[in-house]
Amino acid sequence: MRRHEVPAPLGFCGLKELRFDERPILNLFYRFAPAAWGNGYATEAATSVVGWAAAHQPDRPVLARVRPDNTASHRVAVRAGLVRAPHLDRAGFDGLDWIYATPGSPSR
Ligand SMILES: CC(C)(COP(=O)(O)OP(=O)(O)OC[C@H]1O[C@@H](n2cnc3c(N)ncnc32)[C@H](O)[C@@H]1OP(=O)(O)O)[C@@H](O)C(=O)NCCC(=O)NCCS
């Protein structure tokens, strides 16, 4: 994501195809430069990406894995239309991941 007058990217956001509990899912990721935080960019980007997935990959759930203390990331996931799926929470690479998913995603 870029702002027209600024050459450096503000950050990035996208989907990665993964298997989660042996099922194909789209993993939502986002990361923005600290100087760009708090301007709604992550929310705008994640909302657009989740909308794209609904239109083009409707059978694939979108999941976001968020560290429990990452308040901004939780807000981005919710604003993008995902809901908490605590039954899917699990250990990630560096600690517990809380899972957010498109409504109606896998129950296990
Ligand atoms: C998480 C991240 C992408 C948010 O980017 P951002 O552009 O600042 O997000 P937005 O401006 O769209 O704000 C999203 C929400 O987070 C809130 N927020 C932003 N910074 C916050 C902070 N430091 N503490 C608490 N809430 C914060 C905003 O108020 C907003 O909440 P609202 O929807 O209730 O108004 C950014 O902080 C980041 O890149 N962090 C490092 C990488 C990371 O953690 N990625 C996610 C991995 S799961």
Side-chain angles (χ1 to χ4, degrees):
M1 190 173 189
R2 291 176 187 272
R3 215 165 30 202
H4 291 302
E5 69 281 11
V6 180
L10 299 170
F12 56 83
C13 174
L15 296 166
K16 181 172 183 177
E17 292 182 322
L18 286 182
R19 295 192 80 78
F20 189 92
D21 290 342
E22 305 307 320
R23 294 177 197 177
I25 61 106
L26 297 170
N27 185 66
L28 174 67
F29 57 87
Y30 35 81
R31 177 172 291 274
F32 281 75
W37 290 357
N39 292 301
Y41 295 136
T43 297
E44 179 183 341
T47 301
S48 175
V49 164
V50 171
W52 181 93
H56 298 283
Q57 299 277 329
D59 297 331
R60 289 216 176 177
V62 176
L63 264 61
R65 300 179 291 184
V66 180
R67 298 299 303 275
D69 61 353
N70 194 343
T71 306
S73 185
H74 294 289
R75 294 298 307 153
V76 171
V78 169
R79 290 280 198 198
L82 306 186
V83 295
R84 270 286 283 135
H87 56 290
L88 300 175
D89 292 353
R90 64 202 50 206
F93 295 115
D94 53 358
L96 178 66
D97 284 338
W98 279 14
I99 306 298
Y100 286 80
T102 36
S105 290
S107 55
R108 278 265 29 110

